[in-house]
Amino acid sequence: MRKPVIELEDIGKTFQVAERTAGLASAVKSLFNRKHREVEALKDISFSIGEGEIVGYIGPNGAGKSTTIKVMSGILVPDKGTCTVMGFTPWRDRSQYVEHIGVVFGQRSQLWWDVPVIDSFELLRDIYRIPEPIYRDNLTMLTAMLALDDILGVPVRQLSLGQRMRCEIAASLLHNPKLLFLDEPTIGLDAVSKIAVRKFIKRINKERGVTVILTTHDMSDIEALADRILMIGKGTLLYDGTLPELKARFGSGRTLTVDYREHTEPIELPGASRLSWTPERAVYAFDAERIKLADLIAPLSQQVELLDIAVDEKGIDEIIVQLYEEHQI
Ligand SMILES: Nc1ncnc2c1ncn2[C@@H]1O[C@H](COP(=O)(O)OP(=O)(O)OP(=O)(O)O)[C@@H](O)[C@H]1O
């Protein structure tokens, strides 16, 4: 068991949201008679994350992911429960604690918009009181790893999204944090930038032992990076395990597509359900745990002249949707 870096126990957070119906009259009325509704964003969330893990924190929109990240990074105070990160209580010890963590919110910038990137980095050096030799070393390493050479002198507002994201990630690591929170770090990035960001995350985890907590809706981020998945829905933790475990539990569904020389009758295959049919092609769904592919192909080949066969596994997106459906979230 790895040494725990983050420990959450029974964390709860409820927001009061002002309720208002549409229209000017109700807007005026609500000025005098405010009605509130409670949104329970987190309900008794408990988990522990060990040193050096890369954990994917997933769940549908509004599940409570950002709220959890805000609690763990000390921006938000929960209503109940305890949260200990590297011995600190994030919201209470915030001024000391922030020196040990890096945070990237994909949809928000920590860089100053109108000044060159390098000026933002120097401001962060002063804010975090990073000793000059450490700052220099990190800047050199991050510039090389994230290919920042040509963009350090450019104001942030002139950068593309992919360039800005690489700078955001560099900014979050200038002070050598041992823990990195990444909230949607690849949102809106093209395929090349996504792969570059993923490679970098893997590398700092391996080479520097940085623990990474990653929220994303992009399941290929999870496939590429996460050793472990925590899934949250409606404020409750629903799954804690590895991706292979998840695949083993839900991923035995397959589709079988067969092309054959023209055949006028649809063919029934015991053990598989037919999804579509034409005189030249049929698609079946089957569960690989219940029936072997060979036991489907053999009876099929006795009835038609087979030309081509393709078998597709259930993708990670479909597995996640199935998991959401199972928990009705
Ligand atoms: N400051 C706030 N005031 C009121 N309600 C909030 C606030 N922040 C979050 N919520 C509510 O808490 C719930 C959880 O929100 P949160 O942002 O944590 O979800 P999320 O899983 O990060 O969603 P997404 O994937 O859409 O970013 C939602 O119902 C949201 O509307």
Side-chain angles (χ1 to χ4, degrees):
M1 183 70 190
R2 300 180 197 223
K3 186 175 145 207
V5 173
I6 299 178
E7 282 179 304
L8 258 74
E9 217 177 309
D10 296 330
I11 288 285
K13 178 74 192 175
T14 300
F15 292 107
Q16 302 284 334
V17 186
E19 248 186 358
R20 225 191 74 190
T21 42
L24 186 63
S26 80
V28 174
K29 218 168 138 191
S30 75
L31 283 175
F32 302 101
N33 182 17
R34 272 193 191 279
K35 277 197 180 138
H36 286 89
R37 182 172 54 93
E38 290 199 334
V39 175
E40 213 178 345
L42 300 177
K43 303 171 195 167
D44 302 326
I45 295 283
S46 303
F47 58 76
S48 157
I49 291 174
E51 202 167 33
E53 280 194 274
I54 302 186
V55 175
Y57 196 45
I58 62 168
N61 291 128
K65 303 180 295 294
S66 299
T67 306
T68 319
I69 298 283
K70 285 177 189 163
V71 167
M72 291 190 291
S73 53
I75 300 170
L76 199 67
V77 184
D79 302 329
K80 63 183 281 280
T82 57
C83 170
T84 313
V85 187
M86 293 181 290
F88 296 100
T89 298
W91 56 92
R92 201 191 58 206
D93 309 323
R94 189 158 159 77
S95 58
Q96 262 184 299
Y97 171 64
V98 288
E99 291 176 17
H100 301 270
I101 61 165
V103 186
V104 175
F105 284 101
Q107 318 233 39
R108 237 175 304 141
S109 182
Q110 60 189 312
L111 304 168
W112 284 264
W113 210 238
D114 293 309
V115 302
V117 175
I118 190 70
D119 292 0
S120 281
F121 285 3
E122 282 170 11
L123 268 166
L124 289 167
R125 175 196 59 195
D126 298 342
I127 290 171
Y128 286 113
R129 297 184 297 272
I130 308 169
E132 191 59 27
I134 293 181
Y135 173 76
R136 284 280 138 218
D137 275 2
N138 279 341
L139 184 62
T140 308
M141 185 268 298
L142 292 164
T143 303
M145 278 168 95
L146 289 161
L148 304 181
D149 255 331
D150 296 337
I151 50 179
L152 285 177
V154 180
V156 175
R157 68 182 144 74
Q158 289 175 17
L159 298 178
S160 75
L161 190 57
Q163 290 171 328
R164 180 172 73 75
M165 194 52 70
R166 281 186 276 138
C167 294
E168 297 282 353
I169 293 174
S172 71
L173 290 166
L174 285 169
H175 57 296
N176 263 351
K178 292 299 280 175
L179 176 60
L180 185 60
F181 294 107
L182 299 169
D183 195 0
E184 302 266 4
T186 60
I187 196 164
L189 300 191
D190 67 23
V192 175
S193 306
K194 260 187 200 181
I195 288 172
V197 165
R198 285 180 194 149
K199 255 189 170 160
F200 175 77
I201 295 169
K202 260 222 135 81
R203 208 168 143 194
I204 49 142
N205 168 261
K206 274 231 150 57
E207 291 177 8
R208 302 195 141 203
V210 175
T211 308
V212 180
I213 319 299
L214 165 84
T215 80
T216 182
H217 289 290
D218 186 335
M219 288 306 140
S220 44
D221 278 349
I222 297 291
E223 263 193 313
L225 289 170
D227 310 318
R228 176 177 162 203
I229 297 172
L230 293 174
M231 191 181 96
I232 184 174
K234 291 185 187 152
T236 307
L237 198 68
L238 301 173
Y239 181 80
D240 179 355
T242 65
L243 189 59
E245 279 162 8
L246 192 64
K247 280 188 169 168
R249 211 171 116 199
F250 292 97
S252 60
R254 304 272 187 278
T255 55
L256 165 67
T257 305
V258 280
D259 292 322
Y260 39 76
R261 207 162 298 285
E262 191 169 347
H263 187 84
T264 47
E265 291 286 302
I267 303 152
E268 297 301 333
L269 281 182
S273 51
R274 202 178 62 238
L275 300 177
S276 66
W277 175 84
T278 70
E280 286 94 23
R281 170 175 283 191
V283 181
Y284 300 88
F286 69 102
D287 186 338
E289 287 210 326
R290 299 209 175 143
I291 187 156
K292 282 202 224 99
L293 181 61
D295 295 336
L296 294 175
I297 302 295
L300 196 62
S301 63
Q302 283 166 7
Q303 298 179 63
V304 289
E305 185 185 342
L306 290 174
L307 299 176
D308 199 8
I309 294 171
V311 179
D312 292 305
E313 277 193 5
K314 200 179 263 184
I316 175 78
D317 277 309
E318 288 159 295
I319 294 174
I320 296 297
V321 168
Q322 192 179 335
L323 201 58
Y324 290 171
E325 278 169 0
E326 186 173 285
H327 289 286
Q328 299 176 342
I329 55 170

